[in-house]
Each structure stands twice: as C-alpha cells, then as structure tokens.
Amino acid sequence: TPAEVSTVNSFTPQERQALIDHDYVALFEMGVHFFLTLTLFIAVYEEDYAARTGPLAFQLEYGQKLSHWLGREYPSVAL
C-alpha cells in the first residue's frame, strides 16, 4: 500500500488479512511477538470483554487461544 512505500518492511497479504481480521493467533504464528499483539488487542477489546464477562476476560481468552503453544518454541521473529 502507499503507506508502506516509505518503510523498510511491508505486510504480506496474509499478515495484512490477519490484522484486518484481528486474528492474533495467526499473527503470533507468523512471528509477531505475543506482547505486541496482547497489548494491541487489549486496547481494542478489553472494555467490551470486561463488561460481558468480567476483568481480564480478554487476557484469559487470549491465553486459551494460544495454549497450543505451551511447551513449544516461539515462532521466529528474525527478518
């Protein structure tokens, strides 16, 4: 996209779609650091989740959706 022309890196179509879909599991599996996606999506979802099911509801869901990574190596973030 034009906004990416001035950057060193650009998004792949898969990365861009995962961002559009708010698919933090896919982003993690593509190598995005978990803390980046956690803090980004807390800002997006925390208020709605907390109102529906209480405090830390989004963080608990995030952990559950990434639980299949327990005991495994994190995806590489190397360029």
Side-chain angles (χ1 to χ4, degrees):
T1 68
E4 295 174 0
V5 171
S6 64
T7 65
V8 175
N9 300 312
S10 61
F11 294 119
T12 66
Q14 294 84 5
E15 292 166 336
R16 189 175 289 105
Q17 191 61 52
L19 281 168
I20 290 167
D21 295 341
H22 296 185
D23 187 348
Y24 49 85
V25 175
L27 290 166
F28 177 78
E29 292 173 345
M30 290 178 205
V32 176
H33 195 277
F34 72 90
F35 189 75
L36 177 63
T37 57
L38 177 60
T39 55
L40 173 68
F41 290 112
I42 283 173
V44 172
Y45 290 123
E46 184 173 38
E47 189 174 319
D48 293 337
Y49 274 66
R52 259 195 330 263
T53 53
L56 299 178
F58 176 73
Q59 291 88 328
L60 292 170
E61 179 182 293
Y62 184 96
Q64 290 168 348
K65 286 189 174 182
L66 288 173
S67 66
H68 63 284
W69 279 94
L70 288 173
R72 295 173 58 191
E73 296 278 327
Y74 286 137
S76 174
V77 295
L79 295 176

